[in-house]
Amino acid sequence: MKNPLFKNFLIFFLIFLLIGSIFSFYNSKNQPPEKISLGEMVKLINADQLKTVEIAGNKLNLTLNDGSTKTTLKETGESLSTLLKNYNVDPAKIQNLNISVKEESSSSLWLGAILPFLIPFLLIGVFIWLMMRQVAGANNRAMSFGQANAKTFGQETKNKVTFGDVAGAAEAKEELAEVVEFLRTPQKFTDMGAKTPKGVLLLGAPGTGKTLLARAVAGEAKVPFFHISGSEFVEMFVGVGASRVRDLFQKAKKSAPCIVFIDEIDAVGRQRGSGLGGSHDEREQTLNQILVEMDGFETNANIIVIAATNRPDVLDPALLRPGRFDRHVTIDLPDIKDRQAILEVHIKNKPLEEGVSLKTVAQRTPGFSGADLANVLNEAAILTARRDKKKLGLAEMLESIEKVMMGPERRSRIFSEAEKKITAYHEAGHALVAHLLPHADPVHKISIISRGQAAGYTLKLPMEDRHFKSKSEFIDELAVLLAGHVTEQEIFNDLTTGASNDLKRATELARRLITEYGMNETLGPRTFGQKEEMIFLGKEIHERRDYSEKVAEAIDKELSKLILDAQKTAKDLIVKHRAQLDKIAAKLLEQETLEKDQFAALFEK
């Protein structure tokens, strides 16, 4: 069905079948009278069985006394009277007949003579027209291959998003509101000698609301808004992307003042000439055309380009300079106040139980983006419906947070009693060390119910949003990560694969302390190694080392020292507080989950 030729042929065939069915139905409803010879007609006349004779050209329609009808043909040009005389019919018999002459109408002539020839010609003509239209459509698509398929939004757009619909990101909204004002009242700024900014680059992690803010600009600005993705420029044919850029800006010039929004600009804006796997002639030509259009010899007045990316580090420097993207607006992950405001926006169309505090949900979601928070409430609504409840409760929201973070519960994943005991002590070790170390995040929940790939988990969350972490916090975090591994060794005098992910995370954290954060006394305050992104089959394959083999050996020694020190810290705490460890593990084996208050109650005495 995807082949246009086959589709047109099928349409033609169905039309032919429809017309044939109509003719067949018509003929079946009107059965023709029985045909007889002239001799049989003469016999009927002589036997006084014939009532009327209707002459229609060379056709004779006969009606018998019993009401039945028959038909026969005579020679063309010969009269009926002459015919009957030649058959020696008694003139008295002829006088008793009711003879009438029917003049053939023009419509019957058209239907009988012309229509059988006209219908095939009409069907062939329709088939040829369908073919020509298909060819014309292909030609039109070929001619429009280099045109930009930008979506245009205006004042008439339904379900518009405004800045009032965007919670948080106050500074970003202020910058973009200024851009909207530039377009609405440019004279206010030109009187002061100010120039309209050429471009605004929105930077931020995935899900922080870059595209949502751009849609809010479209809703606030009463000017045309062109939206296109960076990937829509790139084609397999060299020059098509550049042609689409030219076409996009030509359309924008006709609609100026206007806004052009390019989403995921890193698809075409990567650094040029980056080497193996990172260079693409078509992408580079597209980027060159964007650079020319934004700040070339021809100035595009009253056209503001807004672009969004979560990878500013890979963008070409020529794209980031003033005169092209004059403003770089960074959209950070929301803090607790912004998270609560975002939750209030997304909860508007959902029934909420009385007394539920969204601030509690905001406290449980540090590091969540706006998209993550929307997903949490959506999962909570789904869970509420599955439980046949009418309103969202705090329990459903908190469970949805864990589902978003670690995946759904896997209660069907059955563990043996020995494995459950190992998991309980493993998670109890994490929780105990985190509770006792002064710089570790407080424990909010412990569970030995499997989620995602984890057999159990210990949920630790900071008391407040932090933008910096100290060395002491990292050192305590290392001890917490190794606590599960140490507990298994101490309690069961054996090790399992359950701690493999903890060891991986601890090793990565220790390496960063040394090579990225400069938090090692022996190697000093410097970084080691420079990562150079060279994309080949989607992977980073190169890291330039700016240190010698001797320094590499020292890094390995210091890394091992950090791990062993953290291991010793965790072991000392576990041995000293063995009684509390046993209590936590026993409680977990009894009820599988411990909330923050239940966990804290175990240390009150």
Side-chain angles (χ1 to χ4, degrees):
M1 291 299 291
K2 292 183 179 180
N3 189 343
L5 181 64
F6 176 75
K7 180 180 179 181
N8 291 332
F9 177 78
L10 184 60
I11 293 173
F12 173 78
F13 183 70
L14 291 174
I15 292 173
F16 182 79
L17 284 180
L18 179 63
I19 294 175
S21 301
I22 292 172
F23 272 100
S24 175
F25 178 77
Y26 177 79
N27 291 333
S28 65
K29 295 291 287 184
N30 301 280
Q31 292 292 336
E34 181 185 355
K35 291 183 179 181
I36 61 174
S37 64
L38 290 173
E40 291 176 344
M41 181 187 72
V42 171
K43 290 179 181 179
L44 291 172
I45 295 174
N46 290 330
D48 292 330
Q49 294 182 6
L50 198 59
K51 183 178 181 181
T52 62
V53 178
E54 185 184 66
I55 303 171
N58 63 340
K59 186 177 181 181
L60 301 177
N61 297 319
L62 311 176
T63 304
L64 278 64
N65 292 332
D66 59 2
S68 61
T69 59
K70 298 182 185 297
T71 183
T72 186
L73 297 175
K74 67 180 182 63
E75 294 181 14
T76 304
E78 186 177 14
S79 65
L80 179 61
S81 59
T82 304
L83 175 66
L84 295 177
K85 284 180 181 180
N86 291 338
Y87 276 93
N88 297 319
V89 179
D90 186 3
K93 302 279 189 184
I94 297 174
Q95 291 179 358
N96 293 332
L97 290 175
N98 184 9
I99 300 174
S100 62
V101 180
K102 181 182 179 182
E103 184 178 357
E104 198 167 7
S105 65
S106 59
S107 60
S108 62
L109 176 66
W110 187 83
L111 289 172
I114 301 176
L115 195 59
F117 297 97
L118 184 61
I119 288 177
F121 280 108
L122 288 175
L123 292 176
I124 294 172
V126 170
F127 183 72
I128 293 174
W129 177 75
L130 290 173
M131 294 294 101
M132 294 297 292
R133 191 180 69 168
Q134 186 65 39
V135 173
N139 289 335
N140 289 336
R141 285 192 297 271
M143 295 299 293
S144 64
F145 195 65
Q147 296 181 2
N149 298 320
K151 303 174 185 68
T152 307
F153 301 93
Q155 288 179 272
E156 69 282 354
T157 304
K158 295 182 179 179
N159 300 323
K160 290 194 298 184
V161 178
T162 63
F163 287 140
D165 300 317
V166 182
E171 294 82 3
K173 287 194 290 186
E174 185 178 347
E175 289 283 335
L176 293 173
E178 195 171 292
V179 170
V180 173
E181 193 174 357
F182 264 119
L183 292 169
R184 286 183 178 177
T185 56
Q187 191 66 31
K188 174 182 176 181
F189 297 93
T190 54
D191 289 345
M192 298 299 296
K195 293 182 179 179
T196 305
K198 292 289 183 67
V200 179
L201 186 63
L202 303 179
L203 313 172
T208 50
K210 300 183 293 297
T211 305
L212 184 64
L213 277 170
R215 289 178 59 195
V217 173
E220 294 285 345
K222 297 180 180 180
V223 295
F225 182 89
F226 295 89
H227 170 246
I228 194 168
S229 173
S231 60
E232 294 183 49
F233 290 118
V234 181
E235 287 283 352
M236 63 181 292
F237 303 108
V238 176
V240 173
S243 174
R244 290 180 177 176
V245 171
R246 287 191 295 270
D247 182 69
L248 173 63
F249 278 88
Q250 284 174 3
K251 291 178 180 176
K253 289 173 189 175
K254 294 177 183 177
S255 303
C258 65
I259 294 172
V260 176
F261 175 59
I262 304 176
D263 201 3
E264 304 295 345
I265 195 173
D266 52 280
V268 291
R270 288 175 176 266
Q271 293 186 17
R272 292 166 287 183
S274 57
L276 175 65
S279 179
H280 191 288
D281 289 338
E282 165 63 358
R283 191 181 67 224
E284 289 190 3
Q285 289 196 22
T286 306
L287 174 59
N288 291 338
Q289 190 62 43
I290 293 175
L291 298 177
V292 171
E293 293 289 347
M294 290 191 68
D295 189 22
F297 281 103
E298 184 180 0
T299 57
N300 296 322
N302 293 332
I303 298 177
I304 295 181
V305 181
I306 300 177
T309 181
N310 53 19
R311 294 296 309 278
D313 54 307
V314 302
L315 295 180
D316 195 278
L319 196 64
L320 301 176
R321 74 162 176 82
R324 290 193 174 118
F325 282 105
D326 303 276
R327 297 189 176 191
H328 298 173
V329 179
T330 302
I331 306 171
D332 297 316
L333 290 170
D335 57 18
I336 185 171
K337 182 180 177 182
D338 289 343
R339 289 197 299 273
Q340 185 174 351
I342 292 170
L343 289 168
E344 289 171 356
V345 169
H346 290 294
I347 203 68
K348 286 180 180 178
N349 62 342
K350 297 178 178 64
L352 187 66
E353 285 184 359
E354 294 182 4
V356 174
S357 173
L358 293 177
K359 186 176 181 181
T360 304
V361 182
Q363 290 173 340
R364 279 283 187 105
T365 52
F368 275 43
S369 65
D372 293 330
L373 295 171
N375 191 27
V376 165
L377 291 182
N378 186 60
E379 291 290 346
I382 293 172
L383 186 60
T384 302
R386 286 173 56 190
R387 292 177 177 176
D388 296 325
K389 296 177 64 176
K390 300 299 182 183
K391 293 185 178 181
L392 274 71
L394 184 61
E396 285 77 23
M397 293 185 189
L398 297 181
E399 188 170 339
S400 297
I401 293 172
E402 296 173 23
K403 183 177 180 180
V404 171
M405 291 175 66
M406 292 169 285
E409 286 187 352
R410 300 174 62 189
R411 291 185 177 272
S412 60
R413 188 179 179 184
I414 301 173
F415 292 96
S416 65
E417 292 300 321
E419 288 175 328
K420 285 183 69 174
K421 187 175 182 181
I422 292 172
T423 304
Y425 270 98
H426 182 103
E427 299 304 329
H430 285 307
L432 177 67
V433 175
H435 180 78
L436 295 174
L437 290 176
H439 301 290
D441 293 331
V443 176
H444 278 69
K445 185 176 182 178
I446 320 166
S447 176
I448 58 172
I449 299 173
S450 176
R451 276 189 181 272
Q453 297 298 319
Y457 60 93
T458 300
L459 185 62
K460 301 185 284 73
L461 297 173
M463 296 296 293
E464 57 185 4
D465 291 316
R466 291 194 301 248
H467 301 286
F468 300 102
K469 290 191 74 171
S470 64
K471 180 182 176 181
S472 57
E473 290 172 338
F474 283 126
I475 296 299
D476 285 359
E477 180 66 20
L478 280 175
V480 173
L481 287 170
L482 292 169
H485 179 269
V486 172
T487 302
E488 291 182 17
Q489 177 69 48
E490 189 67 25
I491 302 298
F492 303 102
N493 199 26
D494 197 2
L495 297 173
T496 68
T497 57
S500 58
N501 186 55
D502 296 332
L503 298 178
K504 180 180 178 182
R505 290 169 58 195
T507 304
E508 290 177 355
L509 178 57
R511 184 172 293 277
R512 284 182 180 176
L513 283 171
I514 299 168
T515 60
E516 293 183 27
Y517 306 144
M519 295 181 178
N520 185 264
E521 292 81 1
T522 304
L523 294 170
R526 60 160 291 188
T527 62
F528 300 90
Q530 295 181 3
K531 292 182 179 179
E532 294 181 355
E533 186 175 89
M534 296 176 64
I535 302 301
F536 184 70
L537 296 180
K539 295 183 179 180
E540 186 178 272
I541 60 172
H542 179 68
E543 180 178 359
R544 186 165 66 87
R545 291 176 59 173
D546 56 359
Y547 52 89
S548 64
E549 292 296 331
K550 185 177 181 180
V551 174
E553 185 179 351
I555 290 174
D556 290 338
K557 287 182 179 179
E558 291 300 316
L559 191 150
S560 298
K561 184 176 182 298
L562 280 174
I563 296 293
L564 292 175
D565 288 347
Q567 183 183 23
K568 184 178 183 304
T569 301
K571 185 176 181 179
D572 291 344
L573 291 173
I574 288 167
V575 171
K576 183 177 180 181
H577 299 273
R578 173 66 185 270
Q580 280 84 358
L581 180 71
D582 292 334
K583 280 184 181 180
I584 300 168
K587 204 70 174 176
L588 282 173
L589 288 170
E590 178 185 342
Q591 59 189 50
E592 294 185 330
T593 300
L594 284 177
E595 292 291 344
K596 181 180 179 180
D597 296 337
Q598 296 172 317
F599 174 73
L602 297 176
F603 291 88
E604 287 179 357
K605 293 182 180 180

